[in-house]
């Protein structure tokens, strides 16, 4: 009670300082309240006040002019000379008056004091009474007692992982506590040492934003208007943001006691710390749980990629070690075997006959990724995906316990009506939950926009497919040019051994496809955001879900369509010499290399995946850097040291409500490359691992140094992205099974090995000759055969068909059906094995680890006990001498505790 009295007197004192105009009145308040104020808190306050009086307020200050009240939020606006300037001024006046009525304290910086001479800044401080009131409204959990449960330590690897560990004070900036939902009527129950630091800065700005988003600013068109979002949309205010703690390159200076931004930069955002773990608790305290859980997910995903990268690298090394001893490559490179096999032309008229050993190098490279380890790695990745998702569920459950998200309810801001929705609504409907009239839009008003939205998405997906067909046409038309040019140029004969027309076409086509992907992606991002707004979603959550569906569907088709084409369509519907299939009756369908299409799929994946990651990281780093430089230049200074803290943050780039959306989208698209086509490219996990190590530091750097501080928000999971990951995990099993069966050359080799080989010593010797059918040159139509006459009468092509002397010539032979049956059997067997293992692992691995369950039970029990003891103490004080009534109440409280124990 004495402590509570001291806090009240402290607040009276601060208020008296705020309202006084002279130092003497403040000193008088010191004399009046000195005896009643707790000594520790009084000394802290006095130290801050005297420090402020000692010198002029720093430009880097995060406090009001009195040097005591902390700035929790900043609004900015510019004088508008247009015809609606008076309306905006009236809105601002009403809004700021209502903010003061809620208890918030405001301080306005005149435009004459700003660097550009035209921007006003409204600084907002949430006093203790406001914080405790809205902490109870938002159900914020605060510490009631230090936890007696020891932190989990990875004891077997604790010493081995020493170099990657952060200092304990950075990794765990606060002790672990038993927590309970805050109640302003039970303040004595909570561990309040200093009111100024009791609520983390993320909780403070979240509370202020909650008030800002609900504060009314007038009545327009007969409707009550409220919320900072509507004011930002109408340009009444130009920006609204919480302040960073201070400069990221130097520690806090008095009167500030801590600069978490500096700590984050030193231990997280520097690229030299790429090998270090992340200070996740500090990230959560500074940016909020929603951003914190993104970095937890990205870090966990990166850790799991390390296992897949090691196995993929081992598979590549296995391919390198066996490259020279591979029987198929040996036969192709042998002048007596591959050098004697005359292959049919790869294009009409212009292309000439060629010898199989000209593809010697490409056959060796193909064997790097097309060997026995490919099957193992495809199965392994199917299991790895399951382990990743199951262990992520466990990590998420542990996070919910550690960050007090167990009883989490959906963030109210996400469920709040969007201003655009309210503005477009002309009807009202009773909300069955709140029993209040809310804006309502009938379904028939939205149907035209839904049709437009669906048609737009369909059109753009068709545009992606059309662009892919255009790239295919480019490859078909350019291949003949490359082939004839390399044949005619004598200087290119030596280069031709390494840089074949097929390779040249593949590389140029993949690069062109990547450029088209980036262009389409740039325009579609703008259009999808516009279309989603036109649908007029009711809440921010609906808006984000609608945008997620559109963006993911488009990017799935945009990034993966070329890979699907190479993996499952290229070379599958070619026909045979004399009866080729033609695209639009003009261009002959593409053929695969004699070694299969797997090496081309690898090339396609390497260029698209690597190019996307490099372009994405450069864009994320350069874009905010350039924009911030330009804003500082417009503000007539290039130095952040010359103008105030709120102006420095004002000139930074805005992270935006969809900032995390694009980060998740980028990660999920990368996850698709790692899982959907990984059988063709075992190095995909390694490339993703290297990218993510850089991505974590780039994201940390830009959030800490280049972006305004985002408003803290709560989240207990990665949301809809988790369902998307599960869907891609299931699809990946099928795609990898089809890649191994139809794109690689493993199944045909196995069929030959077990059913057709007659060489006991070298079972695969003769496979190359067996896999090539014979075509009689005389059967070529006149418009397809090369014009020059040749001395040989037959040529070879990749297929299983009857020879020309057979009565059913050029019809698929029995071996073709054997290979097809083996391929289908492999797909069925592999899918069943992987899915069986996936279901077993999902069943065996609990969603919530046992130790977390025990900790939750312990915390629940201790919280009930602490609340029981607190209520019992208050009851004893209130009841006084009435012992009978007191005993009865004690029995009732103890029965509650026993009931809680039995429930747990």
């Amino acid at each position: 009670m004495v402590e509570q009295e001291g806090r009240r007197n402290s607040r009276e004192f601060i208020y008296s300082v705020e309202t006084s105009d002279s130092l003497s009145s403040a000193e008088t308040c010191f004399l009046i309240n000195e005896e009643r104020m707790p000594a520790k808190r009084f000394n802290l306050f006095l130290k801050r006040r005297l420090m402020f009086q000692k010198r002029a307020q720093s430009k880097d200050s995060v406090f009001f002019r009195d040097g005591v009240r902390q700035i929790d939020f900043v609004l900015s606006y510019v004088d508008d000379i247009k015809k609606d300037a008076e309306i905006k001024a009236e809105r601002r006046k009403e809004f700021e008056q209502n903010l003061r009525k809620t208890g918030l304290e405001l301080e306005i910086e005149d435009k004459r004091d700003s660097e550009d001479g035209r921007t006003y800044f409204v600084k907002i401080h949430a006093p203790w009474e406001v914080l405790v009131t809205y902490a109870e409204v938002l159900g914020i959990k605060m510490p009631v007692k230090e936890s007696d449960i020891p932190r989990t330590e990875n004891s077997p690897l604790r010493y081995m992982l020493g170099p990657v560990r952060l200092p304990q004070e950075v990794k765990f900036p606060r002790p672990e506590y038993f927590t309970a939902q805050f109640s302003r009527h039970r303040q004595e129950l909570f561990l309040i040492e200093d009111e100024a630091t009791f609520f983390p800065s993320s909780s403070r700005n979240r509370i202020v934003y909650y008030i800002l988003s609900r504060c009314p600013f007038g009545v327009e068109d007969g409707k009550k208007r409220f919320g900072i979002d509507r004011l930002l949309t109408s340009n009444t205010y130009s920006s609204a943001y919480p302040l960073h703690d201070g400069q990221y390159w130097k520690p806090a200076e008095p009167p500030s006691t801590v600069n978490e931004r500096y700590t984050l930069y030193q231990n997280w955002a520097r690229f030299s710390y790429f090998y270090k773990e992340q200070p996740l608790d500090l990230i959560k305290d500074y940016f909020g749980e929603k951003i914190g859980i993104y970095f937890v997910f990205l870090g966990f995903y990166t850790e799991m990629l390390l296992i897949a990268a090691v196995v993929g690298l081992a598979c590549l090394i296995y391919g390198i070690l066996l490259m020279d001893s591979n029987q198929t490559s040996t036969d192709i490179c042998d002048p007596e075997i591959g050098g004697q096999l005359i292959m049919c032309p790869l294009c009409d008229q212009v292309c000439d006959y060629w010898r199989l050993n000209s593809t010697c190098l490409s056959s060796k490279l193909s064997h790097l990724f097309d060997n026995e380890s490919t099957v193992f790695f495809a199965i392994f990745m199917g299991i790895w995906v399951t382990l990743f998702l199951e262990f992520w569920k466990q990590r998420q459950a542990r996070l919910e316990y550690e960050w007090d998200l167990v009883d989490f309810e959906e963030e109210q801001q996400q469920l709040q009506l969007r201003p655009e929705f309210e503005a477009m609504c002309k009807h009202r409907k009773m909300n069955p939950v709140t029993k209040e009239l809310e804006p309502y839009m009938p379904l028939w008003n939205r149907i035209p926009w839904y049709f437009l939205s669906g048609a737009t998405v369909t059109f753009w997906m068709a545009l992606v497919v059309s662009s892919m067909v255009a790239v295919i046409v480019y490859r078909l038309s350019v291949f003949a040019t490359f082939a004839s040019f390399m044949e005619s140029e004598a200087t290119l004969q030596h280069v031709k051994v390494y840089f074949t027309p097929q390779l040249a076409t593949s590389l140029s086509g993949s690069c062109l496809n990547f450029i088209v992907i980036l262009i389409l992606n740039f325009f579609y991002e703008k259009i999808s955001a516009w279309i989603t707004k036109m649908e007029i979603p009711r809440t921010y959550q609906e808006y984000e879900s609608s945008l997620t569906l559109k963006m993911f569907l488009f990017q799935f088709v945009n990034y993966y369509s070329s890979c699907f084409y190479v993996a499952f369509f290229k070379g599958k519907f070619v026909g045979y010499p004399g009866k080729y299939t033609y695209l639009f009756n003009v261009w002959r369908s593409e053929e695969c290399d004699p070694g299969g299409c797997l090496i081309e799929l690898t090339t396609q994946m390497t260029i698209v995946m690597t190019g996307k990651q490099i372009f994405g990281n450069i864009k994320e780093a350069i874009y905010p850097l350039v924009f911030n430089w330009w804003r500082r230049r417009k503000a007539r200074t290039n130095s952040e040291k010359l103008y105030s803290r709120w102006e420095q943050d004002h000139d930074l780039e805005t992270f935006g409500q969809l900032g995390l959306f694009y980060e998740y989208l980028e990660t999920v698209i990368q996850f698709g490359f790692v899982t959907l086509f990984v059988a063709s490219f075992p190095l995909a996990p390694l490339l993703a691992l290297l990218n993510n190590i850089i991505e974590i530091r780039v994201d940390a750097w830009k959030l800490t140094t280049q972006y305004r501080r985002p408003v803290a928000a709560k989240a207990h999971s990665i949301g809809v992205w988790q369902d998307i990951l599960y869907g891609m995990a299931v699809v990946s099993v099928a795609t990898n099974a089809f890649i191994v069966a139809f794109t690689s050359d493993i199944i045909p080799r196995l069929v030959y090995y077990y059913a057709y080989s007659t060489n006991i010593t070298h079972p695969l010797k003769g496979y190359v000759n067996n896999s090539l059918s014979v075509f009689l040159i005389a059967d070529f139509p006149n418009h397809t055969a090369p014009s020059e006459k040749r001395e040989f009468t037959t040529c070879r092509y990749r297929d299983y068909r009857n020879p020309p002397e057979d009565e059913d010539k050029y019809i698929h032979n029995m071996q073709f059906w054997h290979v097809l049956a083996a391929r289908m059997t492999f797909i069925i067997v592999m899918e069943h094995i992987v899915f069986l293992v996936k279901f077993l692992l999902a069943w065996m691995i609990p969603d919530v680890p046992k130790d977390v369950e025990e900790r939750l039970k312990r915390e629940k029990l201790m919280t009930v006990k602490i609340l029981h003891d607190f209520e019992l103490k208050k009851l004893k004080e209130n009841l006084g001498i009435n012992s009978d009534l007191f005993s009865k109440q004690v029995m009732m409280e103890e029965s509650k505790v026993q009931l809680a124990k039995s429930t747990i």
Side-chain angles (χ1 to χ4, degrees):
M1 297 297 291
V2 174
E3 191 75 12
Q4 186 180 18
E5 182 71 19
R7 279 196 297 273
R8 186 173 64 251
N9 294 331
S10 242
R11 293 193 293 271
E12 292 171 1
F13 161 70
I14 292 171
Y15 177 76
S16 65
V17 173
E18 292 165 4
T19 54
S20 66
D21 296 323
S22 65
L23 182 62
S24 59
S25 62
E27 289 172 345
T28 303
C29 295
F30 273 119
L31 296 173
I32 293 173
N33 295 292
E34 184 176 0
E35 293 183 0
R36 291 181 293 172
M37 185 178 294
K40 184 177 179 181
R41 205 162 305 144
F42 172 75
N43 290 336
L44 179 64
F45 177 83
L46 182 61
K47 183 179 178 183
R48 287 179 177 172
R49 184 64 179 169
L50 291 177
M51 183 63 70
F52 175 74
Q53 293 172 354
K54 187 176 179 181
R55 58 184 177 83
Q57 187 179 24
S58 168
K59 278 284 187 181
D60 200 40
S61 172
V62 292
F63 294 91
F64 276 18
R65 296 189 195 100
D66 59 14
V68 176
R69 291 173 293 172
Q70 179 181 339
I71 301 171
D72 295 311
F73 225 88
V74 176
L75 308 178
S76 71
Y77 64 91
V78 179
D79 275 337
D80 200 335
I81 59 174
K82 296 179 181 178
K83 59 181 180 180
D84 56 352
E86 293 183 4
I87 298 175
K88 291 181 179 178
E90 186 62 33
R91 286 174 181 168
R92 284 193 294 265
K93 181 181 177 181
E94 182 75 18
F95 187 68
E96 289 166 16
Q97 285 178 353
N98 289 328
L99 287 179
R100 288 188 174 94
K101 289 177 183 177
T102 63
L104 294 178
E105 296 170 3
L106 277 60
E107 188 175 79
I108 299 176
E109 292 288 333
D110 193 82
K111 66 179 180 181
R112 291 171 294 181
D113 298 325
S114 65
E115 185 66 25
D116 60 6
R118 60 193 190 92
T119 305
Y120 292 88
F121 292 94
V122 181
K123 299 177 290 185
I124 301 174
H125 167 73
W128 177 255
E129 290 79 3
V130 173
L131 292 174
V132 297
T133 300
Y134 284 92
E136 184 173 2
V137 170
L138 292 172
I140 296 176
K141 290 186 175 182
M142 299 306 293
V144 293
K145 180 183 178 182
E146 191 162 342
S147 175
D148 58 1
I149 306 173
R151 296 185 188 272
T152 53
E153 292 287 345
N154 301 323
S155 52
L157 301 176
R158 189 167 68 246
Y159 301 106
M160 293 175 59
L161 298 177
V164 305
R165 297 292 189 193
L166 288 170
Q168 285 294 106
E169 63 274 12
V170 176
K171 185 178 180 182
F172 303 115
R174 300 170 186 264
E176 280 198 351
Y177 295 102
F178 293 125
T179 60
Q181 284 196 357
F182 189 82
S183 171
R184 58 198 172 104
H185 302 297
R186 295 176 176 174
Q187 292 187 37
E188 298 85 353
L189 174 65
F190 297 90
L191 301 179
I192 306 175
E193 294 182 2
D194 182 8
E195 292 177 356
T197 59
F198 177 65
F199 290 101
S201 56
S202 59
S203 297
R204 294 177 71 100
N205 72 60
R206 181 176 161 227
I207 288 171
V208 174
Y209 183 73
Y210 181 87
I211 298 171
L212 291 173
S213 63
R214 285 160 177 75
C215 183
F217 57 83
V219 178
E220 298 176 5
D221 300 327
K223 298 178 182 178
K224 190 176 182 181
R225 304 297 185 185
F226 62 90
I228 187 64
D229 291 318
R230 183 183 289 279
L231 293 173
L232 291 171
T233 304
S234 63
N235 291 320
T236 304
Y237 288 102
S238 57
S239 62
Y241 53 93
L243 280 185
H244 280 294
D245 276 359
Q247 304 284 14
Y248 65 83
W249 62 79
K250 63 181 181 181
E253 296 177 358
S256 299
T257 56
V258 66
N259 184 354
E260 290 181 344
R261 186 189 189 191
Y262 171 77
T263 308
L264 284 169
Y265 177 75
Q266 290 293 318
N267 298 277
W268 180 48
R270 292 193 297 169
F271 291 95
S272 58
Y273 271 46
F274 72 91
Y275 62 94
K276 292 281 190 180
E277 63 183 337
Q278 300 184 81
L280 298 172
D281 286 354
L282 193 59
I283 297 168
K284 181 262 297 183
D285 289 342
Y286 192 73
F287 291 111
E289 288 83 355
K290 192 169 186 178
I291 290 178
I293 205 168
Y294 162 73
F295 283 103
V296 175
F297 171 74
L298 188 58
F300 180 79
Y301 171 47
T302 304
E303 291 171 9
M304 290 294 291
L305 277 174
L306 181 61
I307 302 169
V310 169
V311 177
L313 189 61
C315 291
L316 180 68
I317 293 172
Y318 174 82
I320 293 172
L321 294 175
L322 296 182
M323 188 164 59
D324 292 329
S325 60
N326 174 40
Q327 187 64 55
T328 304
S329 299
T330 302
D331 287 353
I332 291 174
C333 297
D334 190 344
E336 300 300 322
I337 302 175
Q340 300 303 315
L341 293 173
I342 308 298
M343 304 298 293
C344 296
L346 294 173
C347 61
D348 294 342
Q349 293 184 325
V350 180
C351 296
D352 201 356
Y353 300 98
W354 52 285
R355 296 186 183 274
L356 183 61
N357 65 346
S358 64
T359 61
C360 175
L361 181 61
S362 66
S363 68
K364 288 184 177 181
L365 291 175
S366 179
H367 184 70
L368 286 177
F369 308 103
D370 191 2
N371 53 61
E372 294 78 8
S373 67
T374 305
V375 180
F376 163 76
F377 193 59
I379 295 173
F380 168 80
M381 286 304 293
I383 298 170
W384 175 87
V385 170
T386 304
L387 290 173
F388 163 66
L389 293 173
E390 292 301 319
F391 285 143
W392 167 244
K393 283 197 291 188
Q394 287 200 339
R395 181 72 182 92
Q396 206 164 246
R398 190 178 300 278
L399 204 66
E400 287 182 16
Y401 161 73
E402 293 173 350
W403 289 1
D404 287 325
L405 300 170
V406 176
D407 301 322
F408 170 80
E409 293 182 5
E410 194 63 47
E411 191 71 37
Q412 290 299 316
Q413 275 85 353
Q414 286 293 95
L415 300 177
Q416 189 178 354
L417 296 180
R418 297 174 66 245
E420 296 87 345
F421 176 81
E422 293 185 80
M424 295 293 290
C425 286
K426 298 179 180 178
H427 301 82
R428 294 265 168 175
K429 184 180 180 181
M430 180 72 71
N431 187 314
V433 178
T434 62
K435 299 300 180 182
E436 295 179 358
L437 287 174
E438 287 186 352
Y440 168 71
M441 181 169 289
L443 180 62
W444 58 81
N445 286 0
R446 294 194 191 189
I447 285 178
W449 291 109
Y450 286 144
F451 273 115
L452 177 62
S453 176
T456 304
V457 174
T458 305
F459 168 76
W460 276 86
M461 290 172 70
L463 193 62
V464 171
V465 175
S466 302
S467 66
M468 184 188 69
V469 172
V471 172
I472 294 170
V473 170
Y474 160 83
R475 294 156 68 114
L476 294 173
S477 57
V478 167
F479 177 79
T481 306
F482 276 130
S484 59
F485 179 71
M486 288 185 173
E487 285 292 337
S488 60
E489 288 290 329
T491 56
L492 296 177
Q493 293 305 310
H494 297 293
V495 180
K496 188 180 173 183
V497 178
Y498 307 99
F499 197 66
T500 62
Q502 294 98 318
L503 182 60
T505 305
S506 177
L507 286 174
S508 62
S510 298
C511 292
L512 178 63
N513 183 68
F514 175 64
I515 293 170
V516 171
I517 285 172
L518 293 181
I519 294 172
L520 290 175
N521 196 50
F522 173 79
F523 286 107
Y524 183 77
E525 280 187 11
K526 312 294 182 186
I527 291 172
S528 62
W530 176 77
I531 284 294
T532 306
K533 287 181 181 178
M534 291 300 101
E535 290 177 2
I536 321 174
R538 185 172 178 272
T539 63
Y540 290 103
Q541 191 178 50
E542 289 180 14
Y543 175 85
E544 193 169 321
S545 298
S546 179
L547 185 63
T548 299
L549 178 63
K550 293 182 184 65
M551 286 297 297
F552 176 73
L553 283 176
F554 173 79
Q555 294 219 3
F556 186 92
V557 176
N558 196 24
Y559 280 105
Y560 303 142
S561 58
S562 58
C563 295
F564 272 103
Y565 163 72
V566 175
F568 306 124
F569 297 99
K570 184 179 177 181
K572 307 298 187 293
F573 310 100
V574 176
Y576 60 90
K579 198 175 182 180
Y580 286 115
T581 57
Y582 288 83
L583 183 64
F584 305 128
N585 294 320
V586 177
W587 293 282
R588 204 174 97 185
S589 297
E590 283 188 284
E591 294 184 50
C592 288
D593 188 87
C597 273
L598 197 70
I599 187 64
E600 189 167 337
L601 178 58
T602 304
T603 305
Q604 182 76 23
M605 268 198 62
T606 306
I607 291 174
V608 175
M609 182 180 177
T610 308
K612 179 187 180 300
Q613 294 182 161
I614 293 173
F615 178 80
N617 282 325
I618 292 175
K619 177 186 171 185
E620 286 187 22
I622 298 298
Y623 177 81
L625 200 64
V626 171
F627 270 77
N628 292 339
W629 169 81
W630 179 249
R631 284 194 185 95
R632 286 195 294 270
R633 186 174 181 275
K634 286 172 66 179
R636 302 196 303 275
T637 179
N638 290 324
S639 174
E640 292 188 1
K641 299 176 183 178
L642 299 180
Y643 57 130
S644 63
R645 176 98 291 280
W646 45 90
E647 287 180 284
Q648 293 171 34
D649 284 10
H650 180 263
D651 287 346
L652 295 177
E653 186 68 14
T654 305
F655 189 62
Q657 287 188 334
L658 295 177
L660 273 186
F661 166 81
Y662 288 109
E663 298 293 346
Y664 276 120
L665 181 63
E666 180 184 359
T667 305
V668 167
I669 294 297
Q670 184 205 79
F671 181 80
F673 282 116
V674 169
T675 55
L676 293 175
F677 309 101
V678 74
S680 67
F681 190 37
L683 285 181
L686 179 61
L687 290 180
L689 172 67
L690 296 175
N691 173 78
N692 287 359
I693 291 173
I694 298 172
E695 176 80 15
I696 289 173
R697 303 304 159 179
V698 169
D699 288 346
W701 171 79
K702 71 181 185 183
L703 272 172
T704 309
T705 68
Q706 302 301 312
Y707 281 92
R708 292 175 189 166
R709 186 175 182 175
V711 178
K714 291 180 78 72
H716 72 296
S717 69
I718 60 175
V720 70
W721 299 108
Q722 189 155 337
D723 298 326
I724 292 174
L725 292 177
Y726 273 104
M728 294 179 78
V730 173
V731 174
S732 69
V733 177
T735 55
N736 284 303
F738 272 89
I739 286 171
V740 173
F742 284 95
T743 310
S744 80
D745 209 32
I746 290 174
I747 302 301
R749 286 202 299 262
L750 289 175
V751 171
Y752 178 81
Y753 184 97
Y754 288 107
Y756 292 91
S757 176
T758 57
N759 191 322
I760 300 174
T761 310
H762 300 92
L764 285 177
K765 194 169 183 65
Y767 165 73
V768 172
N769 185 61
N770 175 265
S771 64
L772 299 174
S773 298
V774 180
F775 183 78
L776 190 64
I777 291 176
D779 291 339
F780 265 123
N782 292 331
H783 68 281
T784 60
S787 55
E788 297 181 13
K789 299 295 182 182
R790 302 293 181 179
E791 58 185 22
F792 41 82
T793 58
T794 61
C795 64
R796 310 295 291 274
Y797 61 98
R798 180 72 187 271
D799 208 342
Y800 294 102
R801 293 181 181 270
N802 292 324
E805 62 271 13
D806 195 282
E807 60 180 21
D808 294 324
K809 65 177 182 179
Y810 309 137
I811 300 299
H812 284 128
N813 58 24
M814 188 55 67
Q815 189 172 352
F816 169 84
W817 300 108
H818 287 165
V819 170
L820 181 62
R823 283 171 166 162
M824 299 306 297
T825 302
F826 173 82
I827 291 171
I828 294 170
V829 171
M830 177 180 165
E831 286 186 349
H832 279 70
I833 290 174
V834 174
F835 279 127
L836 178 62
V837 174
K838 283 169 71 73
F839 290 137
L840 283 175
L841 289 173
W843 174 72
M844 291 170 61
I845 300 173
D847 291 350
V848 182
K850 187 177 179 181
D851 68 305
V852 173
E853 284 187 350
E854 292 172 352
R855 286 165 178 266
L856 284 170
K857 291 176 181 178
R858 170 68 180 166
E859 178 159 352
K860 186 175 181 181
L861 177 63
M862 288 302 298
T863 303
V864 170
K865 186 176 185 301
I866 292 167
L867 290 172
H868 163 261
D869 293 342
F870 174 77
E871 293 294 339
L872 203 60
K873 183 180 177 182
K874 283 187 66 176
L875 188 64
K876 187 176 181 180
E877 292 174 356
N878 294 335
L879 291 176
I881 58 172
N882 195 338
S883 57
D884 293 337
L885 185 57
F886 173 70
S887 301
K888 186 182 296 184
Q889 292 290 338
V890 167
M891 291 177 63
M892 290 173 62
E893 293 292 334
E894 288 180 347
S895 65
K896 289 180 182 178
V897 174
Q898 293 300 323
L899 181 61
K901 288 181 179 179
S902 63
T903 304
I904 295 171

